[in-house]
Amino acid sequence: MADATLTIKRSITVRAVVTPRWKEDAERELSNAIAGSDAQLAQLEQEGQQLVDAIRSQSANPLDPRVQDQVASVQEQVAAKRAELEEQKRQLIEQQRQVRDLEMEQIVDQGQLESFCDVRVGDNLVEKLSVAVVVRDGVIEAIEGTL
């Protein structure tokens, strides 16, 4: 069994070299995501108001405590979702600031890929699992680690 091999799945870190093109692409993606957050917030407010209006219009007495409870419940749900979306937007804005502050030629982690590799008795597992790909404007510039 000493010469047996085993195929395992591993994560590969994708690292990007910061270039003008990379910065433009990253900022554009973040700007689009921020615009999407704004659109989601606007839609949430609109749908929440429509729901409140529907609850009130379906009631003979809009001041009935049960109706007021339903309205309050909808408003609480909208407020909770609004807070969640606003936090996501704040995080995107912070990421955008961080991208702007990056220096050219700096290397940043961009994501993960998965691949398979063969291991056998005597292999250094840590080395086999520690693999990264360095990319400049989408082109692989280096492969770091043991394939």
Side-chain angles (χ1 to χ4, degrees):
M1 190 92 180
D3 60 348
T5 62
L6 177 67
T7 301
I8 61 172
K9 185 161 60 168
R10 65 179 170 188
S11 292
I12 298 176
T13 302
V14 178
R15 295 190 177 115
V17 177
V18 176
T19 64
R21 179 175 162 196
W22 183 90
K23 261 185 144 172
E24 288 170 15
D25 290 347
E27 285 190 40
R28 183 174 34 259
E29 284 179 29
L30 288 165
S31 291
N32 291 342
I34 291 167
S37 289
D38 287 337
Q40 284 182 304
L41 281 164
Q43 182 179 359
L44 174 69
E45 296 298 336
Q46 180 184 7
E47 289 174 359
Q49 189 57 51
Q50 288 172 345
L51 193 52
V52 166
D53 292 346
I55 291 169
R56 287 184 174 146
S57 69
Q58 291 173 1
S59 171
N61 179 7
L63 300 177
D64 181 317
R66 289 175 299 196
V67 173
Q68 295 294 3
D69 288 346
Q70 282 183 312
V71 167
S73 175
V74 167
Q75 289 172 333
E76 285 174 22
Q77 291 173 15
V78 167
K81 185 66 176 172
R82 181 186 320 111
E84 180 184 319
L85 289 171
E86 286 173 345
E87 178 57 28
Q88 289 175 1
K89 182 179 173 184
R90 272 191 292 279
Q91 289 174 1
L92 289 168
I93 290 169
E94 175 59 21
Q95 288 176 1
Q96 194 173 45
R97 185 195 62 73
Q98 290 171 351
V99 165
R100 287 188 182 127
D101 290 345
L102 291 173
E103 295 181 20
M104 293 299 153
E105 299 301 310
Q106 188 174 344
I107 297 178
V108 296
D109 287 353
Q110 186 170 346
Q112 298 279 318
L113 297 173
E114 291 193 345
S115 75
F116 294 93
C117 69
D118 292 329
V119 294
R120 54 187 54 81
V121 174
D123 284 349
N124 184 325
L125 187 59
V126 173
E127 286 179 7
K128 287 278 191 173
L129 296 177
S130 302
V131 177
V133 176
V134 179
V135 179
R136 179 185 299 269
D137 294 333
V139 177
I140 295 175
E141 195 169 82
I143 297 173
E144 301 170 340
T146 305
L147 296 179

